[in-house]
Structures are given as structure tokens and as C-alpha cells.
């Protein structure tokens, strides 16, 4: 059974405490963020002859003279009047007319990602090592324990990600341009509240924009925890409240694991073959409590992973930290289906 802990709502702020602003979002078209989308040129379709020439050029360094000559003949037959090339080119133009924005977008998303059955773990999910905090230097912490620096940095970065989500919801980001030409901003709608759901043969990518979820997903000791970050009225938790919520999540999991055997690490299934995970997810979803837990993970704005298994001797090893951000302990303590996961080590390093 997938374990998730229900948390109390974000408590009311004490007098004098700094509280986040009330949540705002807008679906109006503004030049500040998405207002230029209608000005974007469509992705052109190369001519069949240009595509064939580019293909042959890519083969030149790889083939012998005889092999290249054979390829030339095959390409000439393919693009000829009786070949399959003109038929496929016509289908591509038809697909372009039916596409909302680009003939390539759905093809690339489906073929390169959603239909690929290999694990997201390592193969699709990328990782990065962010700069260390000047206010909290990296320091070794006992293995298996969180640290104050870890929770403080996790709270701070959670607040910054919530700032970004709120800005996208409110369309407050300036639209990107390059040499005066508008650039596509649509990808910003897919950063928060976005999840890849494992399905047989082809995964499903789900999201909500504006991102109106009120919680994040915290991973700690292989347990998935629902942590509220907005109150019922849409008012965001303050930095102090976020730190308190993370600390409460850690204590609740520690108490749970001290009282009973550790639950099955269901989250590790997100690191496996997509068809295997799809089958397991379907079985899990037959239980009502599991369906609720899965929905909690799916709808979370983003994930925050608190890792405590780093060897203290590796605290200052940037390469080892990056390996931890990329795959952890064999895929442990991650929910690889989330679009964004913030990973914070007990050394204070962040990725």
C-alpha cells in the first residue's frame, strides 16, 4: 500500500509573522508572459528533397564508398514519383494542418518520451548540482539524520519555487525574446502540478494550468508525504511555516517507522520499466486509499526529496553529490514521475 500522511492545514500566522501573499492567477492573454504566443511562426516543413539531402550528408562520414552509393540509390527510389516519400510528405502536411502549433510537437513528445518504455530514472530525468548556499556552508551530517541546514534550505527553495509558480499563474513573467522575435513560453505552463502517469504502451502527461494544487510531495526515508503549502483561502505559507511543515513531515515519518515495519517502497516503482510500473499502478489503484494517495502524488505542485543516506565522508564531494541527485540510492526516495523534484542532502547541498 502506498503510504501518505494527511497533514493539518497550514496554521494561521502569529501576530507579526510574515505571511505569503494570497494566490492569484489569470488566464487573460498578456504580453508579459503568454501574450506573444499568437505571434510565433509555425515550424516549417522541409521539402522532401532537402530532407533527403540532409540524410545523405549525415551518412557520408559513416559509410564506405560502395555503401554510400547504395544509400544514394535507395534515397532516390524513396523520393521518386513512385516512392513512398511523396506519400509520407503529403501526410506530414496534413498532420501540420491539424496540429495546434507544430507538426513536430506531439510526434516528439510521444515517440521520444511517452512511448519509450525504458525507465525515466537516469534515461529521461536529468539532474543538476546547484550552487552552495553562502549563508549555510556545506557540512557533514550523521548518516540517517536530517540537519537544520538541510531543512532550512529546503524551506527556502520551496518558497522560491512557489514564487515561480505564482508568477506563472499570474502571468507576471516577462515574455522571452531573441533579437526582437518572440520565443515560445508555453513550456512554463508544464512546470508545476505536472506528472507523467505510467500507462501500458504510452504514458500520459497530465497537468493543470493555472496550477492550483495546495500541496507539495515530500519524500523522506522512501515515504511519500503530502505537505500543504497554501491555506484554505489560498494564502501561502510563510517561510517559517514551510520550515515547520517540513520538520513536522520528518518527525511524523520517523515516528511511523519507529512504531511499525517500514512500508513497501512503492515510490521506487517510478524508477522502473514503464510498462511494469503501469501494471503495478493499475493494481494499486484497485484500492480506494491507494487511489487517493496516487492522486495526491500526481497533483502535487512539485516534489521535495530529503536525503539522509549520504556518507558523511562524501559531504564535500561534488561528484558524489551529483550522483545522489541523479539517482539516489538505486532510485530510492524519489517520485520520478514528477516534472520537478527538489533534492536536498543533509549536508546542505541542493540539486
Amino acid at each position: 500500500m502506498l503510504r501518505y500522511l494527511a497533514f493539518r492545514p497550514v496554521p494561521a500566522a502569529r501576530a507579526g509573522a510574515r505571511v505569503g501573499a494570497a494566490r492569484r492567477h489569470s488566464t487573460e492573454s498578456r504580453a508579459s508572459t503568454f501574450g506573444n504566443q499568437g505571434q510565433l511562426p509555425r515550424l516549417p516543413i522541409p521539402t522532401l528533397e532537402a530532407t533527403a539531402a540532409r540524410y545523405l550528408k549525415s551518412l557520408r562520414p559513416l559509410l564506405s564508398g560502395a555503401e554510400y552509393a547504395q544509400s544514394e540509390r535507395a534515397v532516390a527510389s524513396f523520393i521518386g514519383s513512385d516512392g513512398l516519400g511523396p506519400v509520407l510528405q503529403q501526410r506530414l502536411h496534413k498532420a501540420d494542418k491539424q496540429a495546434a502549433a507544430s507538426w513536430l510537437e506531439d510526434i516528439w513528445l510521444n515517440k521520444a518520451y511517452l512511448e519509450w518504455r525504458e525507465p525515466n530514472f537516469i534515461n529521461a530525468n536529468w539532474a543538476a548540482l546547484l550552487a552552495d548556499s553562502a549563508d549555510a556552508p556545506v557540512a557533514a551530517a550523521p548518516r540517517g539524520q536530517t540537519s537544520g541546514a538541510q531543512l532550512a534550505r529546503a524551506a527556502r527553495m520551496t518558497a522560491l519555487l512557489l514564487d515561480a509558480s505564482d508568477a506563472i499563474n499570474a502571468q507576471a513573467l516577462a515574455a522571452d525574446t531573441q533579437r526582437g522575435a518572440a520565443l515560445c513560453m508555453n513550456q512554463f505552463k508544464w512546470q508545476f502540478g505536472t506528472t507523467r502517469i505510467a500507462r501500458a504502451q504510452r504514458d500520459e502527461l497530465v497537468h493543470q494550468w493555472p496550477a492550483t494544487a495546495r500541496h507539495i510531495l515530500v519524500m523522506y526515508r522512501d515515504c511519500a508525504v503530502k505537505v500543504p503549502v497554501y491555506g484554505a483561502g489560498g494564502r501561502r505559507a510563510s517561510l517559517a511555516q514551510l520550515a515547520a511543515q517540513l520538520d513536522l513531515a520528518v518527525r511524523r515519518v520517523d515516528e511511523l517507522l519507529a512504531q511499525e515495519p517500514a512500508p513497501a517502497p512503492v515510490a521506487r516503482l517510478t524508477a522502473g520499466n514503464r510498462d511494469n510500473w503501469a501494471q503495478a499502478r493499475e493494481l494499486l489503484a484497485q484500492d480506494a486509499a491507494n487511489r487517493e494517495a496516487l492522486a495526491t502524488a500526481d497533483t502535487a505542485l512539485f516534489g521535495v526529496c530529503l536525503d539522509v543516506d549520504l556518507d558523511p565522508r562524501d559531504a564535500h564531494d561534488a561528484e558524489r553529490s551529483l550522483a545522489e541527485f541523479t539517482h539516489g540510492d538505486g532510485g530510492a526516495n524519489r517520485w520520478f514521475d514528477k516534472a520537478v523534484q527538489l533534492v536536498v542532502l543533509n549536508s546542505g547541498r541542493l540539486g
Side-chain angles (χ1 to χ4, degrees), residues 2 9 36 43 49 68 71 100 116 124 154 207 270 320 336 344:
L2 179 62
N36 290 337
L43 184 67
E49 291 73 20
Y68 185 78
S71 296
W116 197 30
H207 83 127
T270 66
R320 182 66 189 88
F336 285 102
V344 191

Side-chain angles (χ1 to χ4, degrees), residues 11 17 27 102 106 118 124 155 176 182 193 195 199 202 205-206 216 219 225 233-234 245 267 271 273:
T27 55
S102 166
D106 287 343
E118 294 305 308
D176 289 336
T195 295
R199 304 291 190 203
R202 182 172 69 89
L205 196 62
V206 299
I216 60 174
M219 296 297 305
V225 185
Q245 291 287 78
N273 174 276

Side-chain angles (χ1 to χ4, degrees), residues 136-179:
V138 171
R143 195 167 197 166
Q145 298 180 20
T146 57
S147 69
Q150 178 185 27
L151 295 181
R153 196 160 193 212
R156 178 59 180 161
M157 289 305 299
T158 295
L160 292 175
L161 285 180
L162 293 176
D163 284 345
S165 179
D166 288 344
I168 294 169
N169 283 349
Q171 301 200 47
L173 296 181
D176 289 336
T177 61
Q178 186 176 55
R179 297 179 180 178

Side-chain angles (χ1 to χ4, degrees), residues 105-163:
E105 186 172 9
D106 287 343
I107 295 174
W108 179 254
L109 178 63
N110 288 319
K111 299 301 180 183
Y113 292 97
L114 300 184
E115 292 179 14
W116 197 30
R117 301 292 83 194
E118 294 305 308
N120 290 350
F121 170 57
I122 295 181
N123 294 300
N125 291 35
W126 59 271
L129 172 64
L130 302 185
D132 294 333
S133 171
D135 299 327
V138 171
R143 195 167 197 166
Q145 298 180 20
T146 57
S147 69
Q150 178 185 27
L151 295 181
R153 196 160 193 212
R156 178 59 180 161
M157 289 305 299
T158 295
L160 292 175
L161 285 180
L162 293 176
D163 284 345

